[in-house]
Amino acid sequence: MSRAVLSTLSVVILALVIAAPAQAHAQALARAVHGTAENDYFDFWLPPDRRSDDNYTQGMRVSADLAGVPPFLRRLACRDRLPSQCATTIEVGQDMYTPTDDAVHLLPGERPYAGWLYLRMNTTAATARNRLIVHEILGVTGQASLAAQVQTDFHHIIHGFRRPLGWAGQLPTEADFALGAEDDWYVATPGEARHWVDFIPSAHATVGTLRTALGVGGRARVGIALTHPWQVDTTARPWEAYFFVGAQSEAVARDLFLDGSTFSRSPHVAREPVADEWERGIGIRLWRLGLEYRAVTQGREYRTGPATHTFGGITLTWWMLR
């Protein structure tokens, strides 16, 4: 994708949202516990010795949806929503970034080692047609992120993984934050056809020392017995199966893991102003248990970086209210 993707997707999303019929079959906001692991070793279609171990190489997160919403956030995001249509999500996660060519001392043009440990809170307000998510993120880089210990110990325990060399030169310990919002729309045809195919266009904005960006994207699903993507579906069957494709494009003004630390000098690379990615995957749900696998291909993030980088993600979900 090129820089024209931003304007093209914006036009497509606007047209689809205007044309989308309102849906009335979903009421309360669905709530769940999610666990996600992302790793470029999860490129299962490649032989193990050809899977990469660099750039965005590892991500782990756990999240839970809660019924309550803090009063100030309720006034901000849930003004005209019923209590059952609002929720708070708490997420804890850890990410790791490493250079393409590893060395004890960072090579010219290579992105720095970086670890990130964070806490994220989402406030979600939704109707059957639209979902607004306002998020706050607080995290820390450097040794306090524990990324160096986790990757080094894991590669030592598991036979066949190389020993990472450059964590001593990772981004220094520094607190970071981001504030943002995402707007999603549910686009589906009336009647039974909504159980076979749907489309979820989205737009988002983020500002902060972690990341400052503006983007648009979307995900299309095709499957059997599809349920509403974020609300309790009174027509749901005990199971569903689907495959999906999606894409997003962002205009990026800051990326901590490429531009370097905010309050101190640190290694950095020349970031690309537009970041694109696309995904494809499959998912199933049996009663309240869901499993999803996705493969994500990122475009070039920095001028001296690889043209593309692919990683896989596995998400396990337990629906508390579905």
Side-chain angles (χ1 to χ4, degrees):
M1 289 188 289
S2 68
R3 292 177 175 84
V5 172
L6 276 169
S7 57
T8 302
L9 282 176
S10 298
V11 172
V12 171
I13 288 173
L14 180 61
L16 285 170
V17 171
I18 293 174
Q23 304 294 321
H25 65 281
Q27 299 294 328
L29 189 63
R31 298 187 180 93
V33 176
H34 308 270
T36 297
E38 294 176 333
N39 198 297
D40 43 14
Y41 193 75
F42 293 167
D43 298 347
F44 296 125
W45 60 92
L46 295 174
D49 60 351
R50 292 184 55 195
R51 300 173 192 172
S52 61
D53 187 17
D54 53 57
N55 288 279
Y56 175 55
T57 186
Q58 166 74 15
M60 297 283 290
R61 55 184 176 271
V62 177
S63 65
D65 300 325
L66 309 175
V69 177
F72 73 98
L73 289 173
R74 175 171 291 279
R75 289 192 294 270
L76 175 66
C78 306
R79 290 169 294 180
D80 56 350
R81 302 290 194 266
L82 298 174
S84 63
Q85 295 176 319
C86 292
T88 298
T89 301
I90 302 297
E91 177 179 300
V92 178
Q94 182 192 63
D95 291 349
M96 301 178 194
Y97 301 85
T98 61
T100 304
D101 294 321
D102 195 13
V104 174
H105 302 290
L106 190 66
L107 300 175
E110 291 291 342
R111 71 181 301 157
Y113 269 83
W116 183 47
L117 186 67
Y118 69 92
L119 174 68
R120 172 175 177 145
M121 184 173 74
N122 292 345
T123 299
T124 302
T127 63
R129 180 175 174 176
N130 174 253
R131 175 177 63 178
L132 172 65
I133 301 174
V134 178
H135 70 257
E136 306 85 33
I137 305 174
L138 182 62
V140 63
T141 56
Q143 292 185 356
S145 72
L146 305 179
Q149 295 92 318
V150 170
Q151 188 183 53
T152 301
D153 291 347
F154 182 82
H155 282 206
H156 176 73
I157 294 171
I158 304 301
H159 177 72
F161 282 86
R162 65 175 177 83
R163 183 173 66 89
L165 302 176
W167 276 110
Q170 67 175 307
L171 294 184
T173 298
E174 183 175 281
D176 54 80
F177 74 92
L179 306 173
E182 177 180 340
D183 223 353
D184 302 324
W185 297 270
Y186 176 53
V187 180
T189 54
E192 290 300 312
R194 71 174 183 269
H195 296 304
W196 297 89
V197 60
D198 61 26
F199 180 51
I200 307 165
S202 64
H204 65 270
T206 303
V207 61
T209 60
L210 171 67
R211 189 174 184 85
T212 298
L214 179 67
V216 292
R219 174 189 275 200
R221 301 188 302 169
V222 178
I224 302 173
L226 288 179
T227 55
H228 195 283
W230 59 71
Q231 288 199 318
V232 175
D233 197 330
T234 57
T235 65
R237 297 181 184 179
W239 62 276
E240 67 180 303
Y242 57 90
F243 100 94
F244 61 88
V245 294
Q248 77 166 18
S249 187
E250 285 186 303
V252 184
R254 173 167 174 76
D255 184 321
L256 171 67
F257 307 111
L258 300 175
D259 293 310
S261 299
T262 306
F263 305 108
S264 61
R265 296 186 62 181
S266 69
H268 61 276
V269 290
R271 170 183 41 79
E272 292 286 358
V274 174
D276 302 323
E277 70 176 40
W278 75 283
E279 63 175 357
R280 57 279 190 202
I282 57 174
I284 59 172
R285 177 184 58 84
L286 297 175
W287 299 97
R288 294 192 176 191
L289 183 63
L291 178 65
E292 186 176 281
Y293 171 79
R294 66 186 188 124
V296 180
T297 298
Q298 300 172 315
R300 193 185 306 275
E301 294 185 289
Y302 53 103
R303 295 175 189 173
T304 53
T308 61
H309 176 70
T310 301
F311 62 89
I314 300 172
T315 297
L316 188 65
T317 300
W318 177 258
W319 298 99
M320 299 180 290
L321 179 59
R322 188 68 171 168

